[in-house]
Amino acid sequence: MRIVLISTPIGFLGSGQGGGVELTLNSLVFGLLSLGHKVDVIAPRNSKLLKSNEKAKLYLVDGEGQISWQHQNYNSPVTIPDNSLLAEMLEKGLSIAKQSDVVLNMSYDWLPIWMTLNYETPIAHIISMGSESSVISNLISKVYAKYPYNFAFHSKVQAKDYPFIKKPIIIGNGFKLDDYNFQASVKGPLAWVGRIAPEKGLEDAVYVANKLGEKINVWGLIEDKTYASKIEQSFPKGAINWMGFLKTDELQKELGKCRVLINTPKWNEAYGNVVVEALACGVPVIAYKRGGPSEIIQHGQTGYLADPDDKESLLSYVEIIEKISRRNCREWVENNASSDIFANKVVNWLNKVINEYK
Ligand code: UDP
């Protein structure tokens, strides 16, 4: 199969602004190449693919990015800036798509989904968020009526945000397991990883650490500075160890030393890459029973699921975290979320999409 992959217009690959999509894209490319497929990637200028993905052809595009939908009002209209990066990425992608079997879009935005109705090469979409925009959800509903196979979701609970999709295609997610080393350290610090933005609920994890009289190590891009400093000011000085945004290699080395990852999203997290990355290092995870993490974490086996927004429940699970076998955590990822497993699911799905056009 020859696949043209359109990246996110929110940030270049490696910037961290694109969130989990950046890592998902690279592990998917890796999986697709290992299965012998040909992949062209269209991404913003400065993007880098993993070294192991050098067989993929990377096309870099300039332009003005989009505002991420989770930071706009649900009923906001679509805005496309002058010199639009998204439009340029599509123009490039569609121009080479003529020699391809399928375009695989990873940007959560209106334009590529709308193009599906007006282009003869199939355009398939990995929907990377819950419903964050009425205009996009309504468009997905319209396109779905004509092309029922063209949308895939990371988790069942994410797909529930699109109730008009009767039998959602769930592809989970995949990780290049060689990039994560198992660590047996059970006595390490508390960890939190993610974009520092209100939908991620960092304050609840800091609350737990503070109650335990501990500091918490926080990795990730500070996307919302006002939000970050508000959290800092509401706890005693030094409660948070800001560890910065690290590349996967360094992140996994540090994260693997921790005794638990506390994951506290306030929104319907589509998947939650950081949950699986922690598990891959042998780090159990405590999360709210909400969104993707509620389908990933095996309660009592690879971590614990607390009632949504119940910080005391998070705290009580941290106190018994040593009951979780770190080996179980790694094994779950090996059996359920490797890049091979993920790429196979994606290929099966894309074959259905391609057949629909025949
Ligand atoms: N991440 C990273 N370095 C860091 C912190 C986070 O590369 O220091 C990456 C992490 O690997 C993950 C992404 O940021 O792929 C966050 O994705 P997630 O699915 O957890 O949430 P999203 O940002 O997509 O809402």
Side-chain angles (χ1 to χ4, degrees), residues 16-24 70 128-129 173 175 180 192-195 199-200 218-221 223 243-248 251 263 267 269-275 277:
Q17 287 165 333
V21 173
E22 297 182 22
L23 187 80
T24 302
Q70 74 268 34
S128 58
M129 294 206 269
N173 211 337
F175 299 79
Y180 300 87
W192 188 96
V193 188
R195 285 179 294 106
E199 67 271 19
K200 296 293 187 177
V218 172
W219 287 274
L221 186 82
E223 206 172 46
M243 310 296 282
F245 178 81
L246 302 185
K247 288 190 173 150
T248 303
L251 176 66
N263 185 250
W267 66 339
E269 185 83 53
Y271 189 78
N273 282 4
V274 300
V275 170
E277 294 182 87

Side-chain angles (χ1 to χ4, degrees), residues 119-354:
Y119 202 70
E120 67 237 19
T121 306
I123 308 180
H125 308 270
I126 297 185
I127 301 297
S128 58
M129 294 206 269
S131 176
E132 291 294 321
S133 144
S134 62
V135 67
I136 293 182
S137 284
N138 290 337
L139 178 67
I140 293 177
S141 168
K142 183 175 174 183
V143 177
Y144 172 73
K146 191 171 178 200
Y147 295 112
Y149 291 113
N150 290 36
F151 299 94
F153 301 86
H154 288 296
S155 65
K156 287 187 237 165
V157 62
Q158 174 206 1
K160 280 201 181 127
D161 265 13
Y162 305 88
F164 49 84
I165 299 211
K166 296 297 168 221
K167 278 194 192 156
I169 295 164
I170 310 295
I171 52 174
N173 211 337
F175 299 79
K176 227 176 126 251
L177 286 174
D178 291 353
D179 290 349
Y180 300 87
N181 295 317
F182 174 81
Q183 292 192 51
S185 45
V186 287
K187 295 244 180 287
L190 305 170
W192 188 96
V193 188
R195 285 179 294 106
I196 322 291
E199 67 271 19
K200 296 293 187 177
L202 169 62
E203 61 278 18
D204 290 9
V206 183
Y207 172 90
V208 170
N210 193 47
K211 276 265 166 161
L212 290 166
E214 290 186 46
K215 289 185 167 196
I216 184 162
N217 287 351
V218 172
W219 287 274
L221 186 82
I222 301 189
E223 206 172 46
D224 186 333
K225 286 200 180 79
T226 317
Y227 167 70
S229 62
K230 214 169 119 194
I231 300 177
E232 205 160 33
Q233 281 158 22
S234 47
F235 292 97
K237 215 167 174 245
I240 306 173
N241 278 334
W242 296 106
M243 310 296 282
F245 178 81
L246 302 185
K247 288 190 173 150
T248 303
D249 179 41
E250 299 157 62
L251 176 66
Q252 66 86 29
K253 220 181 277 168
E254 295 305 314
L255 181 57
K257 294 177 192 159
C258 298
R259 74 177 190 280
V260 61
L261 177 85
I262 304 177
N263 185 250
T264 46
K266 298 282 169 182
W267 66 339
N268 185 10
E269 185 83 53
Y271 189 78
N273 282 4
V274 300
V275 170
V276 181
E277 294 182 87
L279 297 176
C281 302
V283 179
V285 184
I286 299 170
Y288 290 136
K289 195 172 183 179
R290 164 191 282 151
S294 70
E295 283 173 32
I296 299 168
I297 297 160
Q298 310 295 297
H299 185 74
Q301 295 296 312
T302 59
Y304 295 104
L305 291 168
D307 287 337
D309 306 321
D310 184 348
K311 294 179 277 189
E312 301 306 328
S313 167
L314 285 180
L315 177 64
S316 64
Y317 285 129
V318 173
E319 284 165 344
I320 56 164
I321 200 65
E322 72 283 353
K323 288 192 178 173
I324 302 291
S325 144
R326 292 175 74 99
R327 282 275 166 211
N328 270 356
C329 298
R330 171 76 187 193
E331 264 169 35
W332 183 89
V333 184
E334 286 169 1
N335 295 330
N336 295 280
S338 67
S339 49
D340 280 5
I341 294 172
F342 181 46
N344 272 307
K345 284 187 200 160
V346 170
V347 167
N348 287 339
W349 162 52
L350 293 179
N351 274 322
K352 280 190 195 152
V353 177
I354 292 165

